[in-house]
């Protein structure tokens, strides 16, 4: 009703003229149906929208007078009230996890990335999953600001939006019409003939649909069009790399921007903005921007202002490397296994160091540390962990809870290793609870297994020894079991996983929801340099020598610290007096 009152005066007049001074519940019901029908006519969507699915249709007025009063109240509302109603609706609709709207800061960032793309004349904006029309609506708003769209000389803006839910499609249509543009509405995917000038969309995530959406967006572009698509962090590195490789090798991917987690009202998932074009047939470099530290925390969420948006646009359009922006060549991206996650290209610690860099780093350290003898090598070939190990979750939470509850009456009980028990590469579990191991044999640990904390403050790892063989791993642990001990020493696997660069790399690939967690598949995709078994054991011995050196220095440091207060006390009170010559 508010939409009709403010943005379609003719149909509002039709509605108000049809409202009688009094009526029964049946009359009220017919009036509700009339409102929906007029709105669908106004949106030119009567043949697309399913009126029977409209939320107002579910209303069952018990009297006519309250509805007549609503019509009278709506007659006094203003455009500012419509904006407030829209915001209130989104707050209410976003309480659950099923309805997601694009935050204003993200919408402005995505539209701003199109502002420097030249466009003249008529343009067509296409959103194949419109949600509530936030992205096309933001484009229309920005198009009215010549300073914001300096590269555009627009004659007219056409909008086509799609959504499988006609109720949300209707709302998107109304809100776009309120922004000044009557959109073409569609329930099924049908890219516009000739392609779109700009594709702007925040498609649904999960169930491995990201590749499908990316392909659809690229295929929907006109010859010189651009697509700005919102994707979860994981789209850049999980699953099959075929689509990512195609985008790079065909020159279709221009930039990927990692945004902060916790920008949405009802999820903490982290997202990236992907900027794409039609394939050129030639490999192209990609600009990677790590903007996860932008924005300001307001309550439980991160908000962007104009400064944040401008800094991201500047980073994407930069000609050189900046603090958060790097231009990666196709060869760089191939070396990273076609990962398109920006932080992995910012932090090169995970990539193999050139020989001269390695030598310089070690020579600088050798002046203070007794290094084992070494020479420069060419690097070991890499293998994914899932080819070398069986990676599995710990005991399922419900099963573990039940098994712990049965421990008092079970015949066979074993300790349960918790994340807190993993310390400095070993398991210290004197306080471990016990659980009934019946029916949980597939989870029981073997000597040589490596455990990894998979949730929260992940990163602790430990090697299972003979004493812990047969125990059970907690739900929040991952268990890695070497497939062929003649190929990989479990202790070498542990040493690899405990490297700082590897820890940082794995954390970047973790799934962020209410907590940070790691799936077995993601850990299994990690590529590990694999030397021959003899070289692994030589490396372990060299690292052990450094550990012994560190332990010796730690013992000496503790002795000095223990001596300092005792020596000081006796020196100050005169019990001892300093003498010339060599100290005893």
């Amino acid at each position: 009703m508010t939409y009709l009152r403010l943005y379609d005066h003719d149909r509002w007049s039709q509605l108000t003229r049809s409202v009688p001074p009094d009526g029964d519940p049946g009359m009220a019901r017919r009036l509700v149906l009339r409102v929906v029908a007029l709105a669908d006519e106004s949106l030119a969507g009567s043949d697309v929208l399913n009126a029977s699915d409209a939320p107002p249709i579910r209303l069952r007025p018990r009297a006519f007078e309250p509805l007549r009063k609503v019509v009278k109240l709506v007659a006094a509302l203003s455009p500012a009230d419509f904006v407030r109603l829209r915001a209130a609706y989104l707050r209410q609709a976003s309480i659950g996890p099923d309805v997601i709207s694009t935050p204003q800061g993200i919408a402005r960032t995505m539209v701003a990335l199109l502002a420097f793309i030249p466009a003249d004349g008529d343009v067509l904006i296409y959103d194949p999953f419109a949600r509530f029309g936030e992205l096309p609506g933001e484009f229309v708003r920005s198009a009215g600001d010549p300073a914001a769209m300096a590269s555009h000389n627009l004659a007219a803006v056409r909008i086509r939006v799609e959504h499988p839910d006609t109720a949300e499609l209707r709302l998107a249509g109304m809100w776009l019409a309120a922004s000044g543009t009557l959109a073409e509405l569609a329930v099924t995917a049908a890219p516009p003939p000739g392609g779109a000038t700009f594709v702007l969309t925040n498609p649904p995530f999960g169930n491995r649909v990201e590749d499908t959406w990316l392909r659809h967006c690229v295929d929907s572009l006109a010859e010189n069009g651009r697509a700005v698509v919102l994707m979860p962090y994981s789209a850049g590195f999980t699953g099959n790399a075929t689509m990512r490789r195609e985008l790079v090798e065909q020159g279709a991917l221009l930039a990927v921007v990692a945004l902060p987690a916790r920008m949405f009202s009802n999820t903490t998932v982290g997202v990236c903005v992907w900027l794409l074009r039609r394939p050129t047939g030639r490999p192209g470099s990609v600009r990677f921007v790590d903007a996860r530290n932008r924005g300001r925390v307001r309550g439980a969420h991160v908000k962007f202002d104009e400064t944040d948006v401008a800094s991201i646009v500047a980073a994407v359009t930069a000609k050189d490397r900046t603090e958060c922006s790097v231009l990666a060549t196709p060869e760089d991206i191939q070396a990273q296994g076609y990962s398109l996650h920006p932080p992995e290209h910012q932090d090169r610690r995970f990539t193999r160091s050139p020989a001269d860099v390695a030598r310089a780093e070690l020579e600088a350290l050798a002046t203070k540390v007794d290094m084992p003898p070494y020479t420069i090598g060419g690097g070991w070939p890499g293998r994914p962990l899932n080819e070398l190990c069986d990676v599995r979750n710990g005991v399922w939470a419900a099963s573990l809870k039940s098994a712990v509850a049965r421990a008092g009456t079970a015949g066979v009980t074993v300790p349960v290793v918790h994340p807190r028990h993993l310390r400095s590469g070993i398991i210290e579990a004197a306080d471990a609870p016990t659980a009934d191991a019946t029916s949980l044999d597939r989870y029981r640990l073997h000597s040589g297994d490596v455990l990894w904390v998979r949730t929260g403050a992940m990163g602790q790892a430990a090697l299972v020894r003979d004493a812990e063989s047969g125990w059970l791993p907690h739900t929040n642990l991952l268990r890695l079991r070497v497939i062929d001990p003649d190929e990989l020493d479990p202790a070498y696997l542990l040493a690899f996983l405990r490297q700082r660069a590897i820890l940082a790399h794995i954390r970047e690939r973790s799934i962020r929801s209410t907590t940070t967690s790691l799936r077995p598949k993601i850990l299994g995709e990690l590529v590990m340099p694999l030397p021959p078994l003899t070289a692994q054991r030589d490396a372990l011995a060299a690292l052990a020598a450094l550990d012994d050196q560190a332990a010796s220095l730690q013992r000496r440091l503790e002795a000095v610290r223990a001596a300092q207060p005792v020596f000081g006390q006796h020196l100050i009170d005169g019990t001892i007096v300093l003498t010339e010559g060599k100290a005893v």
Side-chain angles (χ1 to χ4, degrees):
M1 276 195 274
T2 307
Y3 162 73
L4 293 172
R5 156 72 179 84
L6 295 170
Y7 303 106
D8 193 329
H9 300 295
D10 290 343
R11 287 184 175 83
W12 172 254
S13 296
Q14 292 179 37
L15 178 67
T16 54
R17 286 197 302 268
S18 66
V19 178
D22 197 5
D24 56 20
M27 180 68 74
R29 169 76 171 158
R30 287 189 291 275
L31 183 58
V32 169
L33 297 176
R34 178 68 171 152
V35 170
V36 174
L38 288 171
D40 289 353
E41 288 178 14
S42 176
L43 298 172
S46 297
D47 58 340
V48 173
L49 301 171
N50 184 355
S52 64
D53 288 343
I57 298 299
R58 295 193 291 270
L59 295 176
R60 294 292 185 271
R62 289 179 289 181
F64 181 79
E65 181 58 19
L67 191 59
R68 190 188 66 80
K69 287 183 178 180
V70 170
V71 175
K72 184 177 180 180
L73 289 170
V74 167
L77 296 181
S78 68
D81 296 314
F82 184 81
V83 172
R84 284 194 288 271
L85 281 170
R86 179 183 185 275
Y89 179 88
L90 287 178
R91 284 195 301 271
Q92 185 66 26
S94 298
I95 289 176
D98 298 329
V99 176
I100 292 178
S101 63
T102 308
Q104 187 178 53
I106 294 180
R108 288 185 173 176
T109 301
M110 294 174 71
V111 170
L113 290 174
L114 296 176
F116 65 91
I117 307 296
D120 297 313
D122 295 348
V123 299
L124 173 59
I125 311 300
Y126 173 49
D127 186 344
F129 198 86
R131 298 195 184 272
F132 298 102
E134 306 94 318
L135 292 172
E138 180 60 29
F139 186 94
V140 171
R141 186 196 68 80
S142 296
D145 181 358
M149 293 288 182
S151 299
H152 296 179
N153 182 21
L154 306 182
V157 177
R158 287 176 51 215
I159 293 177
R160 176 181 174 84
V161 295
E162 298 167 354
H163 199 293
D165 185 322
T166 55
E168 290 194 25
L169 184 64
R170 179 181 290 102
L171 291 170
M174 286 192 295
W175 291 339
L176 287 168
S179 300
T181 302
L182 191 64
E184 302 170 22
L185 308 180
V187 175
T188 57
T197 314
F198 298 128
V199 174
L200 271 166
T201 192
N202 172 13
F205 304 155
N207 298 320
R208 301 180 182 179
V209 299
E210 287 84 2
D211 285 4
T212 301
W213 281 108
L214 288 167
R215 192 181 303 278
H216 177 74
C217 291
V218 171
D219 291 345
S220 301
L221 288 171
E223 186 62 32
N224 295 314
R226 295 291 186 271
V228 182
V229 185
L230 204 63
M231 288 276 114
Y233 286 163
S234 58
F237 53 80
T238 59
N240 194 311
T242 301
M243 181 61 181
R244 300 195 297 271
R245 183 174 63 251
E246 287 180 8
L247 291 176
V248 174
E249 293 182 350
Q250 294 299 313
L253 182 63
L254 296 172
V256 182
V257 181
L259 300 180
R262 299 189 295 128
M263 292 196 74
F264 290 85
S265 61
N266 54 351
T267 177
T268 57
V269 68
V271 293
C272 289
V273 176
W274 294 41
L275 179 61
L276 306 117
R277 65 182 172 190
R278 287 189 65 86
T280 64
R282 301 180 303 277
S285 296
V286 178
R287 175 68 62 176
F288 291 102
V289 177
D290 185 0
R292 293 172 302 157
N293 293 326
R294 293 290 188 270
R296 290 149 191 81
V297 178
R298 305 282 173 80
H301 306 291
V302 176
K303 304 289 186 181
F304 272 5
D305 59 20
E306 293 180 0
T307 303
D308 299 311
V309 174
S311 69
I312 290 174
V313 173
V316 171
T317 56
K319 297 186 181 299
D320 301 315
R321 178 167 184 159
T322 68
E323 178 186 359
C324 67
S325 172
V326 61
L327 187 66
T329 66
E331 293 75 22
D332 294 333
I333 299 170
Q334 182 183 24
Q336 291 287 89
Y338 288 98
S339 168
L340 301 179
H341 192 39
E344 294 182 20
H345 295 273
Q346 301 290 331
D347 187 356
R348 298 306 178 111
R349 291 176 300 170
F350 184 66
T351 59
R352 182 174 295 154
S353 301
D356 55 343
V357 173
R359 185 185 297 277
E361 289 179 342
L362 292 172
E363 287 178 351
L365 293 170
T367 60
K368 299 179 180 180
V369 178
D370 184 13
M371 289 283 189
Y374 65 88
T375 186
I376 297 300
W380 303 113
R383 294 271 300 280
L385 281 182
N386 54 22
E387 292 183 4
L388 302 169
C389 307
D390 176 41
V391 186
R392 295 194 179 184
N393 286 322
V395 183
W396 187 47
S399 298
L400 183 61
K401 182 178 180 181
S402 176
V404 171
R406 296 194 307 269
T409 59
V412 180
T413 60
V414 297
V416 179
V417 182
H418 283 241
R420 67 178 184 273
H421 298 140
L422 277 55
R423 299 177 183 176
S424 302
I426 62 174
I427 297 171
E428 297 181 0
D431 64 339
T434 58
D436 177 12
T438 306
S439 76
L440 296 178
D441 285 345
R442 67 185 181 279
Y443 292 106
R444 296 180 73 168
L445 299 174
H446 294 177
S447 179
D449 287 348
V450 173
L451 296 179
W452 171 278
V453 178
R454 63 178 291 269
T455 60
M458 63 174 61
Q460 287 293 333
L463 187 66
V464 177
R465 299 163 297 186
D466 290 342
E468 295 99 26
S469 182
W471 292 14
L472 291 171
H474 187 270
T475 310
N476 292 338
L477 295 174
L478 287 179
R479 186 267 290 156
L480 295 88
R481 180 169 296 160
V482 172
I483 296 172
D484 184 359
D486 292 331
E487 185 177 40
L488 173 61
D489 190 315
Y492 190 81
L493 170 63
L494 177 66
F496 168 74
L497 291 174
R498 295 182 68 194
Q499 297 299 304
R500 284 185 299 176
I502 303 304
L503 293 175
H505 182 76
I506 293 174
R507 288 190 185 107
E508 290 301 340
R509 292 192 168 213
S510 61
I511 303 301
R512 288 159 174 81
S513 54
T514 54
T515 61
T516 299
S517 64
L518 185 68
R519 295 174 182 168
K521 187 175 185 297
I522 294 175
L523 186 60
E525 291 171 347
L526 183 66
V527 176
M528 175 184 182
L530 187 67
L533 194 62
T534 54
Q536 295 176 35
R537 290 173 178 165
D538 289 344
L540 289 170
L543 292 174
L546 287 176
D547 286 341
D548 291 342
Q549 192 177 157
S552 176
L553 291 171
Q554 182 64 32
R555 288 192 296 270
R556 181 169 175 78
L557 178 61
E558 290 172 356
V560 171
R561 286 176 173 167
Q564 186 179 38
V566 177
F567 187 78
Q569 175 189 340
H570 295 309
L571 185 65
I572 297 300
D573 66 16
T575 305
I576 62 173
V577 179
L578 294 176
T579 61
E580 294 183 1
K582 188 175 181 180
V584 179

